[in-house]
Amino acid sequence: MKTCCFFTLTRGPVAAAAVALACLLLVAPTSARAQRLPTNVIPVHYTLTLTPDLANAAFSGVERIDVNLEQPTNSVTLNAAEITFQSVVIFPNGPRQTGAVSLDPEKEQATFTFPNTLAAGAATLEIHFTGVLNNELRGFYLSKAEGRRYAVTQFEPTDARRAFPCFDEPAFKAVFAITLIVPKNDTAISNGAIVSDTPGPGPDQHTLEFSATPKMSTYLVAFLVGQFQCTAGTSDSVAIRVCATPEKVAYTPYALSVAEFALHYYDNYFGIPYPLKKLDLIAIPDFEAGAMENFGAITYRETDLLLDPRTASVNAKENVAIVVAHEMAHQWFGDLVTMEWWNNIWLNEGFATWMENKTVAAMHPEWKIPQVVASDQQSTLNLDAQPTTRSIRAPLANTPAEINQLFDGITYYKASAVLLTVENYLGPEVFQKGVHAYLTAHQYGNATAEDFWDAQTETSHKPVDKIMESLVLEPGEPILTFGAPSGGRVSVTQKRFFLNPGTETPAGEKWTLPVCFKTGSGGQDCALLGPETASLKIPQASLFYANSGGKGYYRSAYEPAQYQALVDQVETGLEPTERVSVAGDEWARVRADQSTVGDYLNLAAALKADQNAEVISSALGPIGTIDDELAATPDERATFAAWIRRTLEPEYLKLGPPSPNDSSDKRQLRASLFRVLGYYGQDPTVLADAKRITGQYLANPASVEPTLAQTALAVAAQHGNVQLFNQLQNVYETSNNPEFQEGALRMLAEFENPALVRRALSFAVSGKVRNQDAAIQLAIALEMPDSRQEAWDYIKNNWDKVQAQLTTAMGSVLVEGTGDFCSAAARDDVESFFAAHKVSAANVALKHAIEHIDGCIEFRRLQEPNLKKWLAAQSAS
């Protein structure tokens, strides 16, 4: 599953960070009692017939579950939530018995108790039930588009139980035979292919029967009912369709081309053919996550699947490709082989994140995906350097609330970064053999972390088990401090790194991990660092650099002479991914008060002429933080803006106007410089161009290069008037293009005009914005410096309206958004408000928000004087 942290938006730097909030939710143990099912009853096969009533937002169902009773019993316990039971009977090796139903709503369980003891062995449960098509974007729920209704599903992690009674835990794998009775004008999609379509049973109904699934977990079941239309293709003899509502089917071909490439790539890489005969990818109008990897029937947010290549930005194309590749990787990692329990969800999500990058890099080398990965790793290291971080394998996750909070940046990005570290150490071919061995050994079954690293250890004959155990089970990250190289060796120490210098470093935390040194020939030599290692052998090289390729999961610090050499040769001696890593390490050291903000800005200036968009975007990323959190007065902001213009405007002008012959990277580079010059440099020429380009783009999107146009729109919105606001609102309400529609909505939250800020906030919770988006709008407003307090006051004063729009994940997004304040008074206000106004499954989000505010307060206290000193030097020069 892709969480909402992966939404690609038509965005400014502020909005981009706001929608990444859900990635930062970190889980902590709670005292809730365990909710695991007993293991004395094992499901084998479900025969499930559902009849949704879209007009009345309800459904009825009949299911038979073939089970094995491991021992004699007179009761069966399974999961059920918001289900009304009509009858329960069992057919064991004996007389038919009717069960009495008792419910435990807190545990989301139902227990069937039978009059007589059931013998061990095979039996069949038959259950008649009804339920509600809810509006909470989970379970079996209602979606709407253009006056039509759809019944769709989202079951991960623990919501299959809202659609049918089941053994809703990942280790209870079974086969599912699904039949749907639907309105005659609607169609249906499920995991299997349609094997029969017959009229009835009612005059306005038809019955669709689907082929049985492979053995799989309940959270991977899917069924969707409504008016869908599809574009079809094939890859390796597998039928592939990309489906959407009728008015948006024209935006499906691009994703189909990605899916066809990805399926063939995965068949070859994994050495195991895709295990079903068909694969459907379906865009859903109302969808909380980014996408969901249901076996054979992957579901998506519309913006993560649908686009028009003629008017789409490079970012939007990359996003659709990445999300499609991610979910398709899950068909092997997650669906074919599933984690045994949710504390190892990283086995699904970390692998899919790591694999998505390989696939898209192979499909589009011009997008320079390795640089994007290096930049993502810097964000992940910053996340993992917070006190509230956790280990990749969660120490506790038994309740739905605990499980839901595991879908965070640690599960996705740290796990992916660790896999990249290990792959880099072993080499791609050896690592691939280990992946194949792991999948082959556990296909159609469940696995643990130990299963994976044992397979890699056996295949490679290297201590992967020790490395991965260290990186997977230990929270946080090390900073490796290197001495001056001498005699072919270098001294090294390690300790846990925190961004906030006031955080006390726990004693005794050490890692086992590979350290790869850059060689003089452009290659690498890797050495294994252990808890007691004091020095490492290093290769001959004119430049000492201890994270070749930027692929090691650690921070680095050097002696002054070695660091200055890196800065001096940053453009000539380092690869682009290494430049990203060096800049990321230096910014982290600034946050930890081990370097000054002026030192970082000097490094950023040294990178200003880099021709790689991701290097520039990564290096300039902290400018927004400096402007918001450190530049305390209008004069300081003006001086800082002047430095930005003086430093970056010549580089922007060198790129010239957009040309059809521009590479994707050049388009993104131009947009990155335009964004910073407009947002923070307040460059008059850029601001005028932003207004002009925005007018052209809104009049005719095909008339302007889309990557620059969407950036210009974000810059123009910052200073926009009521006319622009009205235009954007109209685009959101009338466009069928998902990229335009969502991009326009996001921009409404970026206006600085107070009246328009209030209007945007009211619109977000008016019911005219889908509840999958409402909290994101509020979070963007909270992050914008000029609207932050206005947004917070609005949220507090209109809490009933706001709360009515919150789904499970979106509540955490909103709470996390309050972490952008930077004062003790604001921190206390946030803390007291949410103490009185609880948000479900957001306790960890609140802890993280408070931690972020405290970190900002400390950062400002330590680095604001350094910025003043640096700005004074710039003014004097």
Side-chain angles (χ1 to χ4, degrees), residues 311-448:
T311 57
S313 67
V314 176
N315 287 343
K317 292 177 182 178
E318 286 183 7
N319 177 69
V320 169
I322 284 288
V323 179
V324 168
H326 180 101
E327 302 307 324
M328 289 183 63
H330 274 309
Q331 305 299 293
W332 288 263
F333 277 109
D335 297 6
L336 183 66
V337 179
T338 310
M339 75 281 151
E340 192 170 274
W341 184 247
W342 296 106
N343 63 336
N344 272 319
I345 184 60
W346 72 274
L347 284 169
N348 289 17
E349 301 300 349
F351 274 108
T353 303
W354 164 75
M355 202 69 212
E356 76 192 21
N357 297 316
K358 295 178 74 69
T359 310
V360 177
M363 186 177 187
H364 287 287
E366 74 275 13
W367 288 351
K368 301 181 179 179
I369 294 298
Q371 295 179 33
V372 178
V373 172
S375 182
D376 288 342
Q377 179 154 314
Q378 299 312 306
S379 299
T380 304
L381 286 161
N382 288 341
L383 169 64
D384 205 22
Q386 301 288 351
T388 55
T389 193
R390 62 170 178 87
S391 59
I392 291 178
R393 180 156 69 188
L396 178 66
N398 285 320
T399 70
E402 291 167 352
I403 294 166
N404 270 295
Q405 292 182 98
L406 293 179
F407 291 84
D408 62 8
I410 298 300
T411 287
Y412 287 82
Y413 285 113
K414 181 178 180 180
S416 174
V418 166
L419 293 171
L420 181 63
T421 295
V422 175
E423 181 193 34
N424 184 55
Y425 172 57
L426 299 181
E429 295 80 10
V430 174
F431 190 82
Q432 182 181 1
K433 289 178 183 177
V435 169
H436 176 77
Y438 165 77
L439 289 174
T440 301
H442 300 284
Q443 57 186 322
Y444 302 109
N446 298 87
T448 66

Side-chain angles (χ1 to χ4, degrees), residues 197-221:
D197 183 351
T198 57
D204 296 321
Q205 296 174 313
H206 65 133
T207 300
L208 299 172
E209 181 183 352
F210 298 86
S211 59
T213 70
K215 188 179 179 183
M216 67 184 197
S217 304
T218 50
Y219 77 89
L220 297 170
V221 174

